[in-house]
Amino acid sequence: MPFARPVLALALLTLLTATPSAAAADGWSVAPSGEGRPAFYAEGEPGSVLQDTVALTNRTRRPVDIALRAEGADVTFADASVRLPPRTRTEVPFTVTAPDADGTAEIVARDADGRTRRVDLHLRAAVPTVAALTVEHLAVHGDRITYELVNRGTTPLAPTVALRADGLFGRVLDRAPRTLPHPLAPGERRRLAEPWDRPALDSVEVRLTVTAAGGARDTASVTTGSGPWGAGVAGAAVAAGGALFVVRRRRRRETPAAESPCTEVELTGAVS
């Protein structure tokens, strides 16, 4: 239902043609403006302000004072207290704030004698569909990989998880993508675990990728273990440095001075 820009002004009174008073109980009625609407309907993003108009009709030969209010919704009337002259109809604009979730409220009209009329106001929250998913707190333990999935969007998701791990000499884990058995609700955080025996003598990078409908995707990675290679490479570097020092020193000893006799030095090898 289209809504015009809110203009809080009381509509002009309109004289009615002759109509039997039995058309409305107690001589006056309240209804949505326009033809053929049994109730009010409003739809918009949560927090947005929407507008509609309520029609009040007095079919009697005396004026009627009517007070307007709403139950179950945030409604503001252009004029919450209206005096209807005899045999007239008036339209009162009002604004309503769209809720966070769908619901039903009521527009309530009450005259000075305590007689009340009610009309339903159906509210629909038009929440934009956003698919967003994140992987958090990825960690590797001795026998499992743990992580958390968080639905950052506005729609339920059925995430698909793919897991792989690469060591120094190639891939050590390549688990086929699988879809989680239970959907992840908007805003939900779920802690999960994957069984795995981590190699003891390897440095491994674990990468977890999660996807879902609507283009939701995220990837996280973590590196664990240094393996025996770090210490081995460091030891080789120290040995190489020591060998270079010994060779250079021995070369200096092998170079005779002009006034000194030649001295032969026996090479004994590098010392680490």
Side-chain angles (χ1 to χ4, degrees):
M1 177 183 65
F3 293 90
R5 185 173 55 187
V7 179
L8 298 181
L10 187 63
L12 295 176
L13 296 176
T14 305
L15 292 177
L16 296 173
T17 58
T19 305
S21 59
D26 299 324
W28 65 272
S29 63
V30 57
S33 62
E35 298 296 332
R37 289 201 297 159
F40 296 96
Y41 298 90
E43 179 177 349
E45 294 185 9
S48 61
V49 178
L50 312 173
Q51 180 181 339
D52 206 337
T53 305
V54 58
L56 302 173
T57 303
N58 179 10
R59 302 183 185 278
T60 70
R61 298 180 183 276
R62 60 183 179 84
V64 178
D65 293 322
I66 298 177
L68 292 170
R69 60 185 174 87
E71 293 181 356
D74 183 9
V75 174
T76 301
F77 295 95
D79 194 340
S81 299
V82 180
R83 164 158 284 203
L84 282 176
R87 307 176 65 81
T88 60
R89 169 190 171 97
T90 188
E91 294 187 347
V92 181
F94 67 87
T95 60
V96 56
T97 301
D100 295 332
D102 298 352
T104 300
E106 287 184 319
I107 300 296
V108 182
R110 181 184 180 92
D111 67 13
D113 295 325
R115 290 181 288 262
T116 301
R117 308 281 183 269
R118 296 173 180 267
V119 183
D120 286 340
L121 170 58
H122 299 285
L123 298 170
R124 180 177 177 84
V127 180
T129 299
V130 178
L133 191 63
T134 58
V135 181
E136 300 179 9
H137 304 140
L138 178 64
V140 178
H141 307 276
D143 59 349
R144 69 191 188 280
I145 299 169
T146 61
Y147 58 97
E148 292 181 6
L149 295 184
V150 186
N151 186 343
R152 301 289 183 181
T154 61
T155 183
L157 298 175
T160 296
V161 177
L163 184 65
R164 77 179 192 186
D166 295 301
L168 292 175
F169 299 105
R171 187 152 299 173
V172 296
L173 176 66
D174 194 354
R175 192 159 294 170
R178 65 180 181 88
T179 301
L180 298 182
H182 303 291
L184 200 63
E188 182 180 357
R189 176 185 295 270
R190 188 177 301 170
R191 184 174 177 83
L192 300 166
E194 301 282 340
W196 184 50
D197 291 328
R198 178 173 62 86
L201 301 177
D202 200 354
S203 177
V204 178
E205 181 189 28
V206 176
R207 181 177 296 272
L208 188 142
T209 302
V210 59
T211 58
R217 178 185 176 89
D218 194 25
T219 299
S221 62
V222 62
T223 300
T224 179
S226 59
W229 317 113
V233 172
V238 172
L244 181 61
F245 172 78
V246 171
V247 170
R248 287 183 175 175
R249 184 172 181 179
R250 286 171 181 168
R251 285 182 177 176
R252 285 197 297 269
R253 292 179 178 178
E254 290 174 354
T255 304
E259 66 280 2
S260 302
C262 178
T263 302
E264 183 177 349
V265 178
E266 180 181 359
L267 296 178
T268 58
V271 179
S272 61

